[in-house]
Amino acid sequence: MRKSWKLGAVSVALVAALGLFGCSGGDTTEQKADEPAAPQTETQTPEAAEPESEAVELQIFAANSLSKAMAEAEELYTQQNPNVTFADTQYEASGTLNEMLGAGQYADILITASKGTMDDAAENGYVKEDTRQTMFNNDLVIVTKEGGDLAGRDISLEDIAAGKYTLAVGDENVPAGNYACQSLTTVGGYIEPDGATGADATGKGGEFSATLQPKVTLGGKVGDVCKYAESGEVDIAMVYTSDVYRMGGVAICSVVPNDTHKAITYPGAVCADSKNAEAAQAFLEWCMTDEDANQIWEKWGFELAQN
């Protein structure tokens, strides 16, 4: 019995020793039960960064009278949309802008100062007709040199037709000049070939009356017309309300009655050859809907059109 016990004790001791050796000198990668699990070292796939908006540069052709307002609006738009910048915006008489497009010059957006000039652009395929919208309204006013002898005087169309003052108006390429001539048809100061008057007239293709003709100076841009009055080169000029804000140096004598000429509107559209049509359309929509943009238009004498 004692011999058997001794053998059993030796066996138990041997098994225990082997077990202890296995824990301390065997597989060293085996984790001890009371140690925390090692952090997993799986390769982490980084999340894909959101793609940056593609940079776009828009080329705008715009009526001269929009120069100050549009420049400010473009700056604000780029602040809000850093991926969109603007090329050197071309400000010309609306008819000249159409001539530039007809000659093959590139633009993404066209904004003219009359429905007629945008009609011409659409008929010639310069713009996408389905993007066209009326953007702004304006008024035609009679101005004189600020602080001059005529400042504060109420001057009528009848006074102009009677030849009482020297006058500056835009030439046939300038919508402001067309509106001025339309108004003058109602008092005999301008005669159209078909005898049309007021809103039915075009303000083109006719001639000034014998009384008024020697008194008239034509300008190739509405800004030039305004400068003629500002410098005193002429007594008065017929320009837009917005030009008084834009140019300065002139005072309004009177507002030309709206029923003597066609409605003064500024249509805008995406150009047919635009390579950035989506971005161009987005900018036009922003012009009409952004509250800060609206403040810019009002600041420079424009009213948003109600489409």
PDB file of all heavy atoms in Angstrom, residues 126-146:
ATOM      1  N   TYR A 126     -28.120  82.446 -80.166  1.00  0.00           N
ATOM      2  CA  TYR A 126     -27.016  82.753 -79.252  1.00  0.00           C
ATOM      3  C   TYR A 126     -27.277  82.265 -77.834  1.00  0.00           C
ATOM      4  O   TYR A 126     -26.332  82.128 -77.045  1.00  0.00           O
ATOM      5  CB  TYR A 126     -26.762  84.266 -79.200  1.00  0.00           C
ATOM      6  CG  TYR A 126     -26.449  84.917 -80.523  1.00  0.00           C
ATOM      7  CD1 TYR A 126     -26.739  86.267 -80.749  1.00  0.00           C
ATOM      8  CD2 TYR A 126     -25.850  84.198 -81.559  1.00  0.00           C
ATOM      9  CE1 TYR A 126     -26.446  86.881 -81.951  1.00  0.00           C
ATOM     10  CE2 TYR A 126     -25.559  84.806 -82.776  1.00  0.00           C
ATOM     11  CZ  TYR A 126     -25.871  86.144 -82.964  1.00  0.00           C
ATOM     12  OH  TYR A 126     -25.595  86.746 -84.169  1.00  0.00           O
ATOM     13  N   VAL A 127     -28.549  82.042 -77.480  1.00  0.00           N
ATOM     14  CA  VAL A 127     -28.889  81.637 -76.113  1.00  0.00           C
ATOM     15  C   VAL A 127     -29.819  80.429 -76.136  1.00  0.00           C
ATOM     16  O   VAL A 127     -30.446  80.118 -77.152  1.00  0.00           O
ATOM     17  CB  VAL A 127     -29.569  82.792 -75.325  1.00  0.00           C
ATOM     18  CG1 VAL A 127     -28.626  83.965 -75.160  1.00  0.00           C
ATOM     19  CG2 VAL A 127     -30.869  83.215 -76.002  1.00  0.00           C
ATOM     20  N   LYS A 128     -29.886  79.746 -74.986  1.00  0.00           N
ATOM     21  CA  LYS A 128     -30.823  78.635 -74.813  1.00  0.00           C
ATOM     22  C   LYS A 128     -32.170  79.232 -74.394  1.00  0.00           C
ATOM     23  O   LYS A 128     -32.308  79.768 -73.294  1.00  0.00           O
ATOM     24  CB  LYS A 128     -30.323  77.679 -73.733  1.00  0.00           C
ATOM     25  CG  LYS A 128     -28.959  77.037 -74.024  1.00  0.00           C
ATOM     26  CD  LYS A 128     -28.511  76.186 -72.846  1.00  0.00           C
ATOM     27  CE  LYS A 128     -27.099  75.653 -73.036  1.00  0.00           C
ATOM     28  NZ  LYS A 128     -26.995  74.632 -74.085  1.00  0.00           N
ATOM     29  N   GLU A 129     -33.151  79.160 -75.259  1.00  0.00           N
ATOM     30  CA  GLU A 129     -34.438  79.810 -75.035  1.00  0.00           C
ATOM     31  C   GLU A 129     -35.097  79.356 -73.734  1.00  0.00           C
ATOM     32  O   GLU A 129     -35.725  80.150 -73.036  1.00  0.00           O
ATOM     33  CB  GLU A 129     -35.368  79.541 -76.222  1.00  0.00           C
ATOM     34  CG  GLU A 129     -36.733  80.186 -76.100  1.00  0.00           C
ATOM     35  CD  GLU A 129     -36.693  81.710 -76.117  1.00  0.00           C
ATOM     36  OE1 GLU A 129     -35.868  82.272 -76.866  1.00  0.00           O
ATOM     37  OE2 GLU A 129     -37.480  82.324 -75.380  1.00  0.00           O
ATOM     38  N   ASP A 130     -34.939  78.080 -73.377  1.00  0.00           N
ATOM     39  CA  ASP A 130     -35.626  77.570 -72.185  1.00  0.00           C
ATOM     40  C   ASP A 130     -34.998  78.044 -70.882  1.00  0.00           C
ATOM     41  O   ASP A 130     -35.539  77.804 -69.797  1.00  0.00           O
ATOM     42  CB  ASP A 130     -35.685  76.036 -72.207  1.00  0.00           C
ATOM     43  CG  ASP A 130     -34.308  75.386 -72.234  1.00  0.00           C
ATOM     44  OD1 ASP A 130     -33.306  76.093 -72.458  1.00  0.00           O
ATOM     45  OD2 ASP A 130     -34.235  74.157 -72.019  1.00  0.00           O
ATOM     46  N   THR A 131     -33.850  78.736 -70.958  1.00  0.00           N
ATOM     47  CA  THR A 131     -33.224  79.287 -69.749  1.00  0.00           C
ATOM     48  C   THR A 131     -33.519  80.778 -69.581  1.00  0.00           C
ATOM     49  O   THR A 131     -33.133  81.380 -68.595  1.00  0.00           O
ATOM     50  CB  THR A 131     -31.693  79.111 -69.782  1.00  0.00           C
ATOM     51  OG1 THR A 131     -31.131  79.929 -70.820  1.00  0.00           O
ATOM     52  CG2 THR A 131     -31.323  77.651 -70.027  1.00  0.00           C
ATOM     53  N   ARG A 132     -34.204  81.332 -70.534  1.00  0.00           N
ATOM     54  CA  ARG A 132     -34.432  82.788 -70.544  1.00  0.00           C
ATOM     55  C   ARG A 132     -35.420  83.199 -69.451  1.00  0.00           C
ATOM     56  O   ARG A 132     -36.435  82.548 -69.231  1.00  0.00           O
ATOM     57  CB  ARG A 132     -34.962  83.199 -71.916  1.00  0.00           C
ATOM     58  CG  ARG A 132     -35.362  84.646 -72.026  1.00  0.00           C
ATOM     59  CD  ARG A 132     -35.805  84.954 -73.454  1.00  0.00           C
ATOM     60  NE  ARG A 132     -36.346  86.289 -73.595  1.00  0.00           N
ATOM     61  CZ  ARG A 132     -36.660  86.840 -74.750  1.00  0.00           C
ATOM     62  NH1 ARG A 132     -36.490  86.166 -75.875  1.00  0.00           N
ATOM     63  NH2 ARG A 132     -37.143  88.066 -74.798  1.00  0.00           N
ATOM     64  N   GLN A 133     -35.114  84.290 -68.760  1.00  0.00           N
ATOM     65  CA  GLN A 133     -36.030  84.845 -67.779  1.00  0.00           C
ATOM     66  C   GLN A 133     -35.790  86.346 -67.637  1.00  0.00           C
ATOM     67  O   GLN A 133     -34.683  86.829 -67.863  1.00  0.00           O
ATOM     68  CB  GLN A 133     -35.854  84.167 -66.418  1.00  0.00           C
ATOM     69  CG  GLN A 133     -34.466  84.308 -65.805  1.00  0.00           C
ATOM     70  CD  GLN A 133     -34.367  83.596 -64.463  1.00  0.00           C
ATOM     71  OE1 GLN A 133     -35.204  83.771 -63.591  1.00  0.00           O
ATOM     72  NE2 GLN A 133     -33.342  82.771 -64.305  1.00  0.00           N
ATOM     73  N   THR A 134     -36.852  87.065 -67.317  1.00  0.00           N
ATOM     74  CA  THR A 134     -36.721  88.499 -67.061  1.00  0.00           C
ATOM     75  C   THR A 134     -36.198  88.677 -65.648  1.00  0.00           C
ATOM     76  O   THR A 134     -36.796  88.167 -64.691  1.00  0.00           O
ATOM     77  CB  THR A 134     -38.064  89.220 -67.221  1.00  0.00           C
ATOM     78  OG1 THR A 134     -38.539  89.011 -68.558  1.00  0.00           O
ATOM     79  CG2 THR A 134     -37.913  90.705 -66.976  1.00  0.00           C
ATOM     80  N   MET A 135     -35.093  89.402 -65.509  1.00  0.00           N
ATOM     81  CA  MET A 135     -34.432  89.502 -64.216  1.00  0.00           C
ATOM     82  C   MET A 135     -34.733  90.806 -63.479  1.00  0.00           C
ATOM     83  O   MET A 135     -35.054  90.793 -62.290  1.00  0.00           O
ATOM     84  CB  MET A 135     -32.918  89.353 -64.407  1.00  0.00           C
ATOM     85  CG  MET A 135     -32.511  88.020 -65.029  1.00  0.00           C
ATOM     86  SD  MET A 135     -30.727  87.851 -65.291  1.00  0.00           S
ATOM     87  CE  MET A 135     -30.150  87.771 -63.574  1.00  0.00           C
ATOM     88  N   PHE A 136     -34.602  91.932 -64.176  1.00  0.00           N
ATOM     89  CA  PHE A 136     -34.731  93.229 -63.509  1.00  0.00           C
ATOM     90  C   PHE A 136     -35.622  94.182 -64.289  1.00  0.00           C
ATOM     91  O   PHE A 136     -35.833  94.021 -65.494  1.00  0.00           O
ATOM     92  CB  PHE A 136     -33.349  93.894 -63.349  1.00  0.00           C
ATOM     93  CG  PHE A 136     -32.283  92.979 -62.829  1.00  0.00           C
ATOM     94  CD1 PHE A 136     -31.219  92.598 -63.637  1.00  0.00           C
ATOM     95  CD2 PHE A 136     -32.341  92.481 -61.540  1.00  0.00           C
ATOM     96  CE1 PHE A 136     -30.232  91.747 -63.169  1.00  0.00           C
ATOM     97  CE2 PHE A 136     -31.368  91.629 -61.060  1.00  0.00           C
ATOM     98  CZ  PHE A 136     -30.305  91.256 -61.877  1.00  0.00           C
ATOM     99  N   ASN A 137     -36.107  95.190 -63.583  1.00  0.00           N
ATOM    100  CA  ASN A 137     -36.812  96.320 -64.188  1.00  0.00           C
ATOM    101  C   ASN A 137     -36.036  97.590 -63.883  1.00  0.00           C
ATOM    102  O   ASN A 137     -35.266  97.654 -62.912  1.00  0.00           O
ATOM    103  CB  ASN A 137     -38.229  96.446 -63.616  1.00  0.00           C
ATOM    104  CG  ASN A 137     -39.095  95.243 -63.924  1.00  0.00           C
ATOM    105  OD1 ASN A 137     -39.015  94.688 -65.011  1.00  0.00           O
ATOM    106  ND2 ASN A 137     -39.916  94.840 -62.979  1.00  0.00           N
ATOM    107  N   ASN A 138     -36.274  98.619 -64.700  1.00  0.00           N
ATOM    108  CA  ASN A 138     -35.595  99.900 -64.514  1.00  0.00           C
ATOM    109  C   ASN A 138     -36.522 101.019 -64.967  1.00  0.00           C
ATOM    110  O   ASN A 138     -37.563 100.759 -65.590  1.00  0.00           O
ATOM    111  CB  ASN A 138     -34.294  99.931 -65.318  1.00  0.00           C
ATOM    112  CG  ASN A 138     -33.174 100.696 -64.628  1.00  0.00           C
ATOM    113  OD1 ASN A 138     -33.441 101.636 -63.887  1.00  0.00           O
ATOM    114  ND2 ASN A 138     -31.938 100.307 -64.868  1.00  0.00           N
ATOM    115  N   ASP A 139     -36.159 102.247 -64.669  1.00  0.00           N
ATOM    116  CA  ASP A 139     -36.916 103.420 -65.105  1.00  0.00           C
ATOM    117  C   ASP A 139     -36.043 104.312 -65.974  1.00  0.00           C
ATOM    118  O   ASP A 139     -34.812 104.326 -65.830  1.00  0.00           O
ATOM    119  CB  ASP A 139     -37.406 104.232 -63.903  1.00  0.00           C
ATOM    120  CG  ASP A 139     -38.494 103.528 -63.120  1.00  0.00           C
ATOM    121  OD1 ASP A 139     -39.420 103.000 -63.749  1.00  0.00           O
ATOM    122  OD2 ASP A 139     -38.414 103.498 -61.881  1.00  0.00           O
ATOM    123  N   LEU A 140     -36.683 105.038 -66.867  1.00  0.00           N
ATOM    124  CA  LEU A 140     -35.993 106.025 -67.699  1.00  0.00           C
ATOM    125  C   LEU A 140     -36.176 107.390 -67.055  1.00  0.00           C
ATOM    126  O   LEU A 140     -37.298 107.775 -66.704  1.00  0.00           O
ATOM    127  CB  LEU A 140     -36.570 106.028 -69.112  1.00  0.00           C
ATOM    128  CG  LEU A 140     -35.828 106.863 -70.163  1.00  0.00           C
ATOM    129  CD1 LEU A 140     -34.457 106.251 -70.455  1.00  0.00           C
ATOM    130  CD2 LEU A 140     -36.654 106.940 -71.451  1.00  0.00           C
ATOM    131  N   VAL A 141     -35.078 108.117 -66.897  1.00  0.00           N
ATOM    132  CA  VAL A 141     -35.141 109.427 -66.235  1.00  0.00           C
ATOM    133  C   VAL A 141     -34.412 110.483 -67.053  1.00  0.00           C
ATOM    134  O   VAL A 141     -33.539 110.173 -67.872  1.00  0.00           O
ATOM    135  CB  VAL A 141     -34.534 109.373 -64.815  1.00  0.00           C
ATOM    136  CG1 VAL A 141     -35.401 108.525 -63.888  1.00  0.00           C
ATOM    137  CG2 VAL A 141     -33.098 108.843 -64.840  1.00  0.00           C
ATOM    138  N   ILE A 142     -34.782 111.709 -66.833  1.00  0.00           N
ATOM    139  CA  ILE A 142     -34.109 112.862 -67.438  1.00  0.00           C
ATOM    140  C   ILE A 142     -33.198 113.443 -66.373  1.00  0.00           C
ATOM    141  O   ILE A 142     -33.652 113.779 -65.267  1.00  0.00           O
ATOM    142  CB  ILE A 142     -35.136 113.908 -67.908  1.00  0.00           C
ATOM    143  CG1 ILE A 142     -36.064 113.296 -68.968  1.00  0.00           C
ATOM    144  CG2 ILE A 142     -34.431 115.145 -68.473  1.00  0.00           C
ATOM    145  CD1 ILE A 142     -37.278 114.153 -69.288  1.00  0.00           C
ATOM    146  N   VAL A 143     -31.903 113.558 -66.686  1.00  0.00           N
ATOM    147  CA  VAL A 143     -30.932 114.031 -65.692  1.00  0.00           C
ATOM    148  C   VAL A 143     -30.176 115.249 -66.209  1.00  0.00           C
ATOM    149  O   VAL A 143     -30.110 115.507 -67.420  1.00  0.00           O
ATOM    150  CB  VAL A 143     -29.918 112.922 -65.325  1.00  0.00           C
ATOM    151  CG1 VAL A 143     -30.634 111.713 -64.745  1.00  0.00           C
ATOM    152  CG2 VAL A 143     -29.070 112.516 -66.535  1.00  0.00           C
ATOM    153  N   THR A 144     -29.592 115.959 -65.266  1.00  0.00           N
ATOM    154  CA  THR A 144     -28.755 117.110 -65.598  1.00  0.00           C
ATOM    155  C   THR A 144     -27.567 117.129 -64.647  1.00  0.00           C
ATOM    156  O   THR A 144     -27.506 116.335 -63.693  1.00  0.00           O
ATOM    157  CB  THR A 144     -29.550 118.415 -65.479  1.00  0.00           C
ATOM    158  OG1 THR A 144     -28.772 119.499 -66.020  1.00  0.00           O
ATOM    159  CG2 THR A 144     -29.888 118.734 -64.014  1.00  0.00           C
ATOM    160  N   LYS A 145     -26.640 117.996 -64.882  1.00  0.00           N
ATOM    161  CA  LYS A 145     -25.442 118.081 -64.044  1.00  0.00           C
ATOM    162  C   LYS A 145     -25.827 118.376 -62.605  1.00  0.00           C
ATOM    163  O   LYS A 145     -26.618 119.280 -62.325  1.00  0.00           O
ATOM    164  CB  LYS A 145     -24.525 119.183 -64.575  1.00  0.00           C
ATOM    165  CG  LYS A 145     -23.240 119.360 -63.775  1.00  0.00           C
ATOM    166  CD  LYS A 145     -22.377 120.449 -64.387  1.00  0.00           C
ATOM    167  CE  LYS A 145     -21.083 120.631 -63.604  1.00  0.00           C
ATOM    168  NZ  LYS A 145     -20.223 121.681 -64.223  1.00  0.00           N
ATOM    169  N   GLU A 146     -25.273 117.585 -61.698  1.00  0.00           N
ATOM    170  CA  GLU A 146     -25.555 117.789 -60.281  1.00  0.00           C
ATOM    171  C   GLU A 146     -25.038 119.170 -59.843  1.00  0.00           C
ATOM    172  O   GLU A 146     -23.887 119.525 -60.094  1.00  0.00           O
ATOM    173  CB  GLU A 146     -24.870 116.697 -59.450  1.00  0.00           C
ATOM    174  CG  GLU A 146     -25.287 116.657 -58.003  1.00  0.00           C
ATOM    175  CD  GLU A 146     -24.703 115.456 -57.290  1.00  0.00           C
ATOM    176  OE1 GLU A 146     -23.553 115.073 -57.608  1.00  0.00           O
ATOM    177  OE2 GLU A 146     -25.400 114.880 -56.440  1.00  0.00           O
TER     178      GLU A 146
END
